[in-house]
Amino acid sequence: IKESEEVRVIESISEDGKPKKKKIRTRVIKKIKGDKQEVTKIETVEEDDKQPETSVTVEEVPVEEEQPEHIKESEEVRVIESVSEDGKPKKKKIRTRVIKKIKGDKQEVTKIETVEED
């Protein structure tokens, strides 16, 4: 159960020049029932010289499930050996890391490539 409350105060001047105060209190209560979420809104309006008016609305909405995030990592290392122009052997190491984050129907791919040369 999640509850939140908001209070708004509106001050205005009436037609006869007197200051008027209007207080609107809104409470929202969210309850999860199975695969549905019940949202109850209670709104109370208080005005000077009047009885407070309260309205209650209840609606059921499907629960938006927080989908878990899947992370897949892979790493590939390639070593390239070659001979330079002056006859010395050269080594080049290329490391490629791929990180895939999958959340729901969204996929984020990060590719990190590191090149080391001797």
Side-chain angles (χ1 to χ4, degrees):
I1 298 175
K2 292 181 187 174
E3 258 187 69
S4 64
E5 187 171 312
E6 176 191 0
V7 177
R8 293 176 295 178
V9 178
I10 301 166
E11 291 183 3
S12 60
I13 296 170
S14 65
E15 294 166 13
D16 57 358
K18 292 181 183 175
K20 285 177 65 178
K21 212 181 216 183
K22 186 178 194 179
K23 189 177 185 182
I24 302 168
R25 176 178 287 138
T26 307
R27 282 182 60 205
V28 179
I29 303 166
K30 295 179 181 180
K31 293 182 199 171
I32 295 176
K33 289 183 173 182
D35 61 343
K36 294 205 184 301
Q37 178 174 288
E38 185 182 89
V39 180
T40 306
K41 282 186 183 178
I42 304 166
E43 191 167 86
T44 305
V45 179
E46 296 175 35
E47 285 188 69
D48 294 338
D49 308 328
K50 288 187 183 176
Q51 284 286 98
E53 284 183 33
T54 302
S55 64
V56 179
T57 56
V58 179
E59 58 181 39
E60 281 191 4
V61 291
V63 174
E64 295 172 14
E65 284 190 33
E66 189 63 36
Q67 295 179 337
E69 185 173 83
H70 300 286
I71 299 174
K72 295 179 186 174
E73 282 192 47
S74 63
E75 188 170 308
E76 177 189 335
V77 179
R78 293 178 298 185
V79 179
I80 300 169
E81 292 182 22
S82 59
V83 179
S84 65
E85 294 167 9
D86 57 358
K88 292 183 183 174
K90 282 174 61 177
K91 242 186 192 180
K92 191 180 206 180
K93 192 185 219 182
I94 302 169
R95 176 179 282 131
T96 307
R97 281 182 62 204
V98 178
I99 302 165
K100 288 183 182 177
K101 288 184 186 177
I102 302 166
K103 189 171 185 178
D105 58 349
K106 293 180 182 172
Q107 179 174 313
E108 179 184 307
V109 179
T110 307
K111 192 172 184 177
I112 304 166
E113 199 163 83
T114 311
V115 179
E116 294 175 42
E117 288 187 48
D118 289 355

